[in-house]
Amino acid sequence: MDNATQKKYLSFKEILIYSVGLFGLQMVIFYLNSYQVEFYSTAGRLTTAELVAVPFLILAAKIVSAIFDPIVGNLIERKPDKGFGKLKPFVLYAAAPLVLFTVLLFVDVPISGAALLAYIFVITTLWSMAMTMADVPSQAMSAVLTPNPTERTNLIGFSGTFRSIGQAAPYVVVPVICLIVPGGAGISGTLSVSEYLWNALGIGIIGTGMLILICFFNKERVPYKAEKMNFRQMFSAIKSNKYLMLVMISYFLGFARQGAMAIQVQAANAILGGQNLIIILGISTAAGTMISMALTPLLIKKLDERKVFVGMSVYGFLSSLLAFFVGTATKFHLGALIPTLFLMGLQFGAVNIMPMVMVADSVDYYEYKTGKRTEGVAFAVLSFSIKVTLALGSAVCLAVVFSDAVGYTATTEEFSFETSRGVYFAYTVIPGITSLLAAIPILFYDLTGKKKADIAEALRIRRSAAAETAEAAVADTVTDTEINNEVDTGAAPDTVRSDSDTDEQ
């Protein structure tokens, strides 16, 4: 029986290539998120006041570019390529602009003050638009590679592990590139302006190259058709999808959950004494995250999406407080930092996987409710939420780090304990508080268990019936055409000709 809740569609090769593609995109995104402000601090072309304004300028650029998210979502719904797919063409369109604008953001342009701030705003906006065109369809593909919801959850879990590793990958790749390029800082020391540029070029090309592999090795299997919606209809579709709205609200309440990743460079510099020592912080947290990624699909099967998300959000709050108090009490001794950061990292599996699972399920819910399938719109909402909240969390955490109360600057040779503690507060406690807030909307999320399974089965029956109707219509059309051709040429119908042939024999 062709049951969408039982049949397996994906090969391991396809799962792996999809996961590698997401890894590459996240590596590019988090190089920018982690190093952009530190690059401007190192270049020294901005005053302290201007540098404090940069995170909010980046936030403004990403909010402006977020207008592009629903446009991309709408274009995806309007123009599916029957031969290549609904989503893959947009990934290809994004590749070259993403590399170009990643490099331009790390060029030490010979300007300063208001002119440099304007340059940062414009190029960051263009980069964010290119990132959206890559991010929305690549995430949405998780909803169309298989109609099996269990297989989809496993896919998101496996690929989510690669996404998480991709987010931490710059912390390993950057020191390696610094060892290769002439005059590089290697593992210790402050990166030079040229090293930032070399890393932007290398990570941009490698990461984007990984991403476009999914265009040639992954197949979109869930049936779709063009949905020509105007923007009023599109926003109505978003508003009427209550589960999508809950995920979106959760993202905004938890805006600083991943703010720690945006200031890991500053935290490594202030706490450990070197920017490239970020590898210690990054790997400590990433190790916990990877274990959490592997366990989250199992926890979902054992419990459900709502219980896992809420439980991990509460855990994230408590583990962040633990990391802060233990770290400061021991004056950031590595023996205390590494295990507590590992424990803090365990929350991020749910943060990275659960929203993608929930949004994919919300697409099924909306199709069940209306008959329309809107991956493009739904994942544009997810991309919008991620982009704006990550920028907001980064802006808040970076503003604390560069504030007069904390007093961080990239070129400081020795930091006071008060500065280190202020940076570590932004690195742990602020994300922990918003992690707790993110759980509130998910308390009302009930698209789980039997309800989710019933919707998947109803969609399977509906799609099978539609396919049989379409096949019957094609067969009737072919039969009518053959009869008309025979009448036009004076030939007898097949059944008569068959009888005649029998008589002659």
Side-chain angles (χ1 to χ4, degrees):
M1 181 178 174
D2 183 19
N3 191 321
T5 62
Q6 299 295 328
K7 182 179 177 181
K8 303 297 183 183
Y9 296 84
L10 297 172
S11 66
F12 178 73
K13 176 182 177 182
E14 193 171 359
I15 294 171
L16 181 62
I17 289 174
Y18 178 69
S19 302
V20 167
L22 296 189
F23 171 97
L25 179 59
Q26 293 302 310
M27 183 168 63
V28 176
I29 291 172
F30 275 82
Y31 175 68
L32 199 81
N33 289 342
S34 298
Y35 287 89
Q36 186 180 6
V37 177
E38 193 77 347
F39 165 69
Y40 302 131
S41 179
T42 302
R45 294 185 182 275
L46 296 172
T47 66
T48 300
E50 290 168 341
L51 196 61
V52 170
V54 168
F56 294 96
L57 191 68
I58 293 171
L59 171 62
K62 291 188 176 181
I63 291 174
V64 170
S65 69
I67 298 171
F68 192 58
D69 290 49
I71 294 175
V72 171
N74 194 274
L75 287 173
I76 288 172
E77 304 300 347
R78 283 172 172 264
K79 297 186 178 298
D81 185 322
K82 295 298 183 181
F84 196 51
K86 180 179 184 179
L87 303 162
K88 292 187 288 186
F90 289 87
V91 175
L92 284 179
Y93 300 155
L98 188 61
V99 174
L100 173 63
F101 295 124
T102 297
V103 171
L104 289 178
L105 281 170
F106 290 91
V107 172
D108 184 24
V109 290
I111 54 178
S112 59
L116 179 54
L117 292 176
Y119 176 87
I120 293 170
F121 177 79
V122 171
I123 303 301
T124 301
T125 301
L126 294 172
W127 179 88
S128 297
M129 293 170 69
M131 186 272 285
T132 292
M133 190 173 286
D135 190 47
V136 171
S138 61
Q139 289 195 75
M141 284 186 70
S142 64
V144 300
L145 294 181
T146 172
N148 182 333
T150 300
E151 191 176 33
R152 183 171 63 209
T153 298
N154 293 335
L155 168 69
I156 291 173
F158 188 87
S159 63
T161 303
F162 275 70
R163 288 178 74 246
S164 179
I165 298 172
Q167 292 169 3
Y171 314 143
V172 177
V173 175
V174 168
V176 171
I177 292 179
C178 289
L179 286 169
I180 296 172
V181 299
I187 299 299
S188 61
T190 300
L191 273 69
S192 67
V193 169
S194 63
E195 286 173 317
Y196 282 108
L197 182 58
W198 278 113
N199 277 284
L201 183 62
I203 290 174
I205 292 173
I206 294 169
T208 305
M210 290 178 173
L211 175 65
I212 62 176
L213 290 175
I214 67 178
C215 299
F216 304 101
F217 294 96
N218 288 109
K219 181 179 179 182
E220 300 177 17
R221 293 181 175 86
V222 176
Y224 59 82
K225 61 180 180 179
E227 297 287 355
K228 295 185 177 181
M229 295 185 289
N230 58 39
F231 282 100
R232 186 179 69 177
Q233 292 170 325
M234 185 176 65
F235 287 116
S236 175
I238 294 170
K239 184 178 178 181
S240 62
N241 191 335
K242 62 181 180 180
Y243 298 110
L244 181 61
M245 290 296 295
L246 288 173
V247 174
M248 185 178 181
I249 295 168
S250 173
Y251 253 105
F252 277 89
L253 288 177
F255 69 94
R257 285 176 302 180
Q258 291 182 294
M261 300 194 76
I263 61 169
Q264 276 193 329
V265 176
Q266 291 81 12
N269 203 14
I271 295 167
L272 303 178
Q275 291 170 330
N276 275 342
L277 294 176
I278 190 175
I279 190 171
I280 296 174
L281 300 182
I283 289 179
S284 300
T285 305
T289 302
M290 285 185 286
I291 292 174
S292 179
M293 289 282 195
L295 292 177
T296 296
L298 301 177
L299 289 173
I300 291 173
K301 291 178 183 178
K302 186 75 174 177
L303 303 170
D304 61 47
E305 290 84 352
R306 176 174 57 190
K307 292 174 183 175
V308 174
F309 189 97
V310 172
M312 294 301 284
S313 296
V314 174
Y315 170 82
F317 170 69
L318 297 175
S319 62
S320 297
L321 291 182
L322 176 68
F324 175 74
F325 287 117
V326 171
T328 53
T330 61
K331 295 188 176 180
F332 311 112
H333 190 280
L334 280 179
L337 282 179
I338 291 174
T340 53
L341 290 177
F342 168 81
L343 292 174
M344 193 173 81
L346 288 172
Q347 66 178 296
F348 293 118
V351 171
N352 288 337
I353 291 177
M354 300 295 290
M356 290 191 68
V357 172
M358 291 174 171
V359 170
D361 290 343
S362 79
V363 173
D364 281 354
Y365 164 78
Y366 191 74
E367 182 184 2
Y368 172 76
K369 181 180 175 182
T370 67
K372 297 180 179 180
R373 191 164 184 88
T374 55
E375 289 94 353
V377 170
F379 281 90
V381 169
L382 179 61
S383 176
F384 169 84
S385 302
I386 293 172
K387 180 189 297 183
V388 175
T389 56
L390 185 58
L392 179 59
S394 300
V396 170
C397 292
L398 285 166
V400 171
V401 167
F402 286 100
S403 67
D404 291 337
V406 174
Y408 173 90
T409 58
T411 53
T412 300
E413 293 185 3
E414 187 173 348
F415 295 92
S416 68
F417 177 73
E418 288 72 22
T419 295
S420 299
R421 181 175 58 190
V423 172
Y424 202 57
F425 178 87
Y427 185 67
T428 55
V429 177
I430 293 176
I433 292 171
T434 59
S435 176
L436 187 63
L437 294 175
I440 296 173
I442 306 304
L443 292 170
F444 303 94
Y445 184 95
D446 64 351
L447 187 56
T448 61
K450 187 175 184 301
K451 183 173 184 176
K452 177 177 172 179
D454 288 346
I455 288 175
E457 179 63 12
L459 289 176
R460 182 195 69 80
I461 294 170
R462 188 184 299 175
R463 290 167 186 159
S464 296
E468 289 173 3
T469 301
E471 289 174 3
V474 170
D476 289 344
T477 300
V478 170
T479 301
D480 290 343
T481 301
E482 289 176 347
I483 292 173
N484 289 335
N485 288 340
E486 289 167 347
V487 170
D488 290 342
T489 59
D494 285 345
T495 54
V496 176
R497 186 168 57 248
S498 177
D499 291 341
S500 175
D501 291 342
T502 302
D503 290 342
E504 288 178 1
Q505 292 174 358

